[in-house]
Amino acid sequence: MVDFFFYLFSAFTLACGLLVVLSRNPVNAAVFLILTLLGVASLFVMLQAYLLAAVQVLVYAGAVVVLFLFIIMLLDVPESARKRFKPAVALAAGLSGLVLILGVGLLVSGAETAGPEAPAAGVGADLKAYGEYLFTSYLLPLQVTGFLLLIAMIGVILLSRKPSAAADKEPAEAKTR
Amino acid sequence: MNYLELISHVLPEIAVLVTALVLIGMGCAGGSRGGGKAVLAVTAAGLGLALAAVVFGPESGRLLEGMIVVDALTRLFKAVLLALTLGTALFLFPGGEAGGNEGRGAENSALLLLALLGLLVVVGTENLLLLFVGLELASLALYLMVVFAAPAGRPAEAALRYFFFGSVAAAFLLFGFSFIYGATGSIDLRVIAKVLAAHPVEPILPLGVGLALVGFGFKVAAVPFHLWAPDVYQSAPAPAAGFIASASKVAGFFIVAKVLVLGFGVVEGSADWGAFAMGWAPLVAVLAALSMVVGNLAALAQQSVRRLLAYSGIGHSGFILTALVAANAEAVRAVLFYSVIYGVASLAAFGVAGCVLRARGADRLEDFAGLGRTAPAAAGVLALALLSLAGLPPLVGFFGKFQLFAAALSGGTPGTVPGLLWLVALALLMSAVSLYYYLRVLKQVFFAPAPADAAPTRDTSAGTAVCLVCGSVLVLLGLFPSLVLQPLQRALVQLF
């Protein structure tokens, strides 16, 4: 039963992921992205990581993709014409994909799956435990992430500011490639 | 662990961070309008405080499961990074006429310090999670520094390319780290090493290490993950390019060496000729060989000096990775030593290139014509930097390269042909190739007549001072390499 649902949700996630890439209309792609994320969330539920599943739905499907949709609609991105790949690019992409699949297949096939114990279950399930980890053991990465967001904020402010006259001082260079 | 102990161990980082926040505040208050002198003073003071905190801080410690590691090695490299950043900061302020930075010096300096903060975090940790977050902190600040204070057009394109490459590389790195976590159950490098020594290797682990190598390859600009480098080095403001080529690369090689040798020493494999064994060593050997060939051959065709320096940097990544393949204590010492002197030489070279760019408006080879007569000091420093990169004695570049290749050959049983001879032979060949394009630049500098209408090349005292310091470091270390090698050796003894 569990196996059945695992394969069901995996297939659903993969199919939606493919449709994200293949959709020509950006709005459709974004909506399929939401479905992909919901599929991943259901996989989390099956691992009993309920908190992670909820966060996945709330933050990714809820906030991030909705932001995508806003931007797509604000910029009014047109439906892209289907571009043909150059044969060389297609060949290279196909070859590297094949090598990757074969490589991973070789690595995983015939492997024992008795590794070291997974970390204590319930970390991803319990909000209290999660919060405690976040603000004790993982306090430092959290802080650094905070400054990451600060840089992003500064960057947006600086880049969207009107260019001053001084910005034109550095002469444009000759293209030398 | 209490918080006081924690704070005492991250005091250098806190000093840098507070300085960055002060600079942002100054930017908001419009404090950088006065020619940037105040900004420069604050930056230098902050870096000085951080350096003092490194020197007089705790000598060793390991907190929060390896998230904060203080030992002789991390202290040495934090000091090196702080010094390189101070040099970059002095380049950022070309005195009265700011090169497109007018009124924005404070923000620019703040970004530089935040990038430095990321690198300090990266150097001072043995925890994969913090390593990743620190790398992202540095990368994000660097993307902005590339596009910052630059005219419209190509820099934005280069920054965008850098950003896309960087994001994908970060995704690979994170993927790799999560597979490593899945295979070993830990994100602490020392625990990972213990688990790997005790258990048979999980099938997912090679995948994780391979993906992480992609991310690291981007960070040190190794072929085939180098495509961002030439555009970024050419289009970014010279100080930003200098920082990417010096401090960022030093930190990059530091963590590559640390993660691979400390965490995954067990699964090294072998890249010896005729005795290949699966592991990360063959992958690194391939990266090294490709980087040396592509970097050095592509540099031959370049007309822009900064682009040439970019390709030469790619080639140098190959040289450094060559030694890393051997993965013993001697190799790590050579890798770290060479990355430091490469950083110093690149900083000097980019400093001079930036000053030529400001004076003549471009950095093609012809624009360097006659520099030896119009600006002898700058030309002399450029000559020292390039000859050191080429590896000519008595400059330190020769000694560094000698160490790299000796370390690569040191593995294996004595009396037999060293297994890595093929890689070292390739490196020697490419080293000879590199001499040609460095001399091409120097020929223009010293033997071509200056164009009649050439504007006098003048740099501020701060920039010249940094260049001169870099140049004298290259000579001094060439004569007395033990000045850095001995502390490095002592630090590594503690590590292994």
Side-chain angles (χ1 to χ4, degrees):
Chain A
M1 196 62 182
V2 173
D3 273 2
F4 170 73
F5 277 113
F6 172 76
Y7 285 117
L8 182 72
F9 287 130
S10 305
F12 175 73
T13 309
L14 283 177
C16 291
L18 264 180
L19 284 170
V20 174
V21 184
L22 296 178
S23 297
R24 267 193 278 172
N25 187 332
V27 177
N28 286 358
V31 174
F32 279 123
L33 186 59
I34 295 184
L35 290 181
T36 313
L37 294 171
L38 287 179
V40 175
S42 41
L43 289 175
F44 280 141
V45 169
M46 290 184 54
L47 290 171
Q48 299 179 353
Y50 303 114
L51 179 70
L52 219 51
V55 169
Q56 177 88 7
V57 172
L58 283 177
V59 176
Y60 284 89
V64 174
V65 181
V66 169
L67 211 63
F68 280 3
L69 277 173
F70 266 130
I71 293 170
I72 291 170
M73 287 170 180
L74 277 179
L75 295 181
D76 199 14
V77 184
E79 199 167 306
S80 62
R82 191 171 293 252
K83 264 200 224 155
R84 288 234 155 261
F85 283 115
K86 284 182 195 148
V89 175
L91 189 73
L95 267 182
S96 16
L98 203 68
V99 167
L100 188 69
I101 291 173
L102 281 180
V104 175
L106 273 179
L107 281 177
V108 180
S109 68
E112 316 257 327
T113 44
E117 287 299 303
V123 174
D126 181 4
L127 186 59
K128 197 174 162 212
Y130 179 76
E132 221 170 286
Y133 269 105
L134 198 59
F135 287 99
T136 54
S137 320
Y138 297 106
L139 177 66
L140 218 59
L142 183 76
Q143 300 274 354
V144 179
T145 315
F147 287 104
L148 210 86
L149 295 179
L150 175 73
I151 295 186
M153 215 155 71
I154 298 174
V156 170
I157 293 171
L158 289 178
L159 291 182
S160 56
R161 205 157 69 166
K162 280 202 186 108
S164 60
D168 301 327
K169 268 196 172 174
E170 193 165 335
E173 295 137 41
K175 218 172 178 175
T176 43
R177 192 144 66 138
Chain B
M1 180 211 72
N2 57 33
Y3 282 98
L4 210 60
E5 196 186 355
L6 179 64
I7 287 175
S8 78
H9 281 76
V10 292
L11 216 50
E13 283 88 345
I14 291 177
V16 170
L17 176 63
V18 169
T19 317
L21 293 180
V22 168
L23 285 169
I24 293 172
M26 285 173 73
C28 293
S32 59
R33 303 248 185 276
K37 286 230 164 53
V39 172
L40 185 57
V42 170
T43 312
L47 289 172
L49 276 179
L51 199 59
V54 171
V55 173
F56 299 111
E59 294 201 344
S60 65
R62 197 168 195 280
L63 304 178
L64 284 169
E65 298 173 2
M67 279 194 195
I68 307 280
V69 175
V70 177
D71 57 24
L73 193 64
T74 63
R75 291 173 69 213
L76 184 65
F77 270 80
K78 279 181 184 176
V80 167
L81 288 179
L82 286 166
L84 288 174
T85 311
L86 185 62
T88 316
L90 291 174
F91 280 137
L92 272 180
F93 296 97
E97 0 90 77
N101 287 337
E102 240 159 63
R104 293 188 186 180
E107 290 90 340
N108 212 347
S109 255
L111 284 177
L112 177 72
L113 289 184
L114 286 171
L116 170 68
L117 177 67
L119 297 181
L120 289 179
V121 167
V122 164
V123 164
T125 187
E126 285 174 4
N127 183 296
L128 293 183
L129 178 63
L130 201 58
L131 188 91
F132 175 77
V133 184
L135 270 183
E136 278 306 281
L137 187 67
S139 302
L140 211 57
L142 288 179
Y143 303 146
L144 278 169
M145 280 175 69
V146 168
V147 74
F148 195 64
R154 281 179 61 77
E157 189 192 317
L160 207 60
R161 181 173 297 187
Y162 190 24
F163 176 69
F164 283 141
F165 263 98
S167 318
V168 174
F172 270 97
L173 196 63
L174 196 56
F175 249 125
F177 283 175
S178 51
F179 282 146
I180 290 168
Y181 177 58
T184 60
S186 174
I187 48 173
D188 181 348
L189 280 180
R190 298 210 179 242
V191 178
I192 289 175
K194 272 192 205 122
V195 171
L196 288 182
H199 293 265
V201 173
E202 284 281 299
I204 202 105
L205 186 82
L207 194 63
V209 177
L211 290 176
L213 266 183
V214 174
F216 287 142
F218 163 81
K219 202 69 208 158
V220 300
V223 178
F225 313 113
H226 67 291
L227 292 166
W228 58 275
D231 279 353
V232 168
Y233 282 39
Q234 188 187 12
S235 311
F243 188 76
I244 294 172
S246 59
S248 169
K249 263 214 169 163
V250 171
F253 280 114
F254 182 87
I255 54 155
V256 174
K258 198 163 180 180
V259 167
L260 289 182
V261 176
L262 195 65
F264 299 96
V266 187
V267 289
E268 192 211 338
S270 166
D272 291 359
W273 191 256
F276 285 100
M278 201 48 211
W280 54 261
L283 296 179
V284 174
V286 169
L287 286 186
L290 282 177
S291 304
M292 283 187 290
V293 172
V294 173
N296 284 310
L297 293 187
L300 290 175
Q302 300 309 318
Q303 288 304 313
S304 153
V305 170
R306 285 185 295 170
R307 237 182 143 76
L308 184 146
L309 285 174
Y311 278 109
S312 111
I314 293 167
H316 275 91
S317 293
F319 294 141
I320 297 177
L321 291 177
T322 299
L324 190 59
V325 176
N328 47 29
E330 200 181 329
V332 173
R333 190 185 64 179
V335 165
L336 296 181
F337 182 67
Y338 198 79
S339 67
V340 171
I341 56 178
Y342 170 76
V344 174
S346 325
L347 189 63
F350 272 105
V352 176
C355 122
V356 169
L357 188 70
R358 269 195 300 281
R360 301 205 178 155
D363 71 332
R364 287 162 301 153
L365 279 176
E366 301 89 81
D367 296 309
F368 281 73
L371 194 68
R373 250 148 288 154
T374 54
V381 172
L382 185 66
L384 285 179
L386 292 185
L387 292 178
S388 173
L389 287 175
L392 289 194
L395 297 167
V396 68
F398 165 74
F399 190 76
K401 267 192 190 162
F402 178 75
Q403 288 251 318
L404 282 180
F405 300 154
L409 293 179
S410 67
T413 45
T416 56
V417 176
L420 288 175
L421 192 61
W422 64 278
L423 202 56
V424 174
L426 186 67
L428 287 174
L429 185 69
M430 286 304 148
S431 216
V433 170
S434 75
L435 190 59
Y436 173 74
Y437 57 78
Y438 291 128
L439 289 182
R440 236 174 89 215
V441 178
L442 293 181
K443 182 183 142 216
Q444 285 288 330
V445 169
F446 288 107
F447 297 111
D453 58 338
T457 313
R458 210 184 292 126
D459 208 3
T460 50
S461 44
T464 316
V466 176
C467 281
L468 286 177
V469 168
C470 288
S472 38
V473 164
L474 292 175
V475 176
L476 195 68
L477 282 183
L479 299 176
F480 308 103
S482 57
L483 285 178
V484 170
L485 269 181
Q486 258 175 9
L488 201 55
Q489 180 71 43
R490 274 201 297 274
L492 281 171
V493 167
Q494 289 181 16
L495 190 69
F496 281 98

